[in-house]
Amino acid sequence: MNLTTVHVPALLQETIDGLHLGEGMVVFDGTAGGGGHARLICEKIGPGGHYIGVDLDISALERTKHALQSALCKKSFIAGSYRDLDSILAKEGVSSLDACLFDLGFSSDQLEQSGRGFSFLRDEPLSMSYRESSPDEALTAYDIVNTFERENLLLILKNYGEEKFSERIVNAILEARRKAKIESTFDLVRIIEGAVPAFVRKGKQHPATKTFQEIRMAV
């Protein structure tokens, strides 16, 4: 596993300043990521402080651990979702927090290194899940493009990103999956490129941009 992060948090110093951190504080970081925020948080809260880092992505959590090897604050790393904040704090024996940080969305590490199909520029399995190995019941991009009915696919493409050519793309997906399963990101990219008009394929924005964004949101 590559423990070097390529992700640079946006507005890092402004975010840390906005948390108004001080010595001895207990801080919950719901999206630990590559540890970009964590390093500065630990510096601010010092040896008496407690950093609680949470992430569904095990690789991201390992990068955060690596980034905080020499940090002096108390550190807890939990593989899970920030939506389970209450149960996580109960297990940690923490009754109250001084600050919380939620840096929502995916990171450059997930685009560049995850191998889970977040980017249309790499030929990878269609997952788009923050989990490295999704449990059987967890939704993936593969499930969406291969099993969702037409109405649900249209709902995703129209409502999440206002894709102008959603009907053409959905019809192309349905036609393609009748012949074979849509397995990879490049399979999906080829379908999208074949569905949209030529001027879209030649435009500045990649024709798969909105569809990938919308499916990531659905996952």
Side-chain angles (χ1 to χ4, degrees), residues 1 6 31 52 60 76 89 117 140 145 157 208-210:
M1 181 188 296
V6 297
T31 46
I52 304 169
S76 297
L89 295 185
T140 65
V145 299
L157 267 64
T209 299
K210 284 190 175 181

Side-chain angles (χ1 to χ4, degrees), residues 204-217:
K204 291 182 178 180
Q205 186 180 69
H206 194 288
T209 299
K210 284 190 175 181
T211 299
F212 269 66
Q213 171 187 298
E214 292 147 2
I215 294 175
R216 283 195 300 263
M217 291 172 69

Side-chain angles (χ1 to χ4, degrees), residues 129-203:
S129 172
Y130 290 130
R131 301 178 189 271
E132 287 189 37
S133 56
S134 296
D136 292 340
E137 69 273 12
L139 183 70
T140 65
Y142 176 90
D143 299 325
I144 290 173
V145 299
N146 285 292
T147 69
F148 274 31
E149 295 180 358
R150 184 176 188 276
E151 292 74 16
N152 290 332
L153 287 171
L154 281 173
L155 188 66
I156 291 170
L157 267 64
K158 283 184 176 180
N159 288 9
Y160 288 175
E162 300 180 349
E163 170 57 65
K164 291 181 180 178
F165 301 100
S166 57
E167 292 203 19
R168 294 174 65 153
I169 293 170
V170 167
N171 289 339
I173 288 172
L174 295 174
E175 179 62 28
R177 79 188 197 190
R178 289 190 192 101
K179 301 173 184 176
K181 294 291 186 184
I182 304 169
E183 302 275 358
S184 73
T185 51
F186 279 11
D187 287 344
L188 183 56
V189 167
R190 283 190 288 269
I191 292 166
I192 296 166
E193 288 177 335
V196 299
F199 76 85
V200 176
R201 293 194 297 273
K202 296 174 182 177

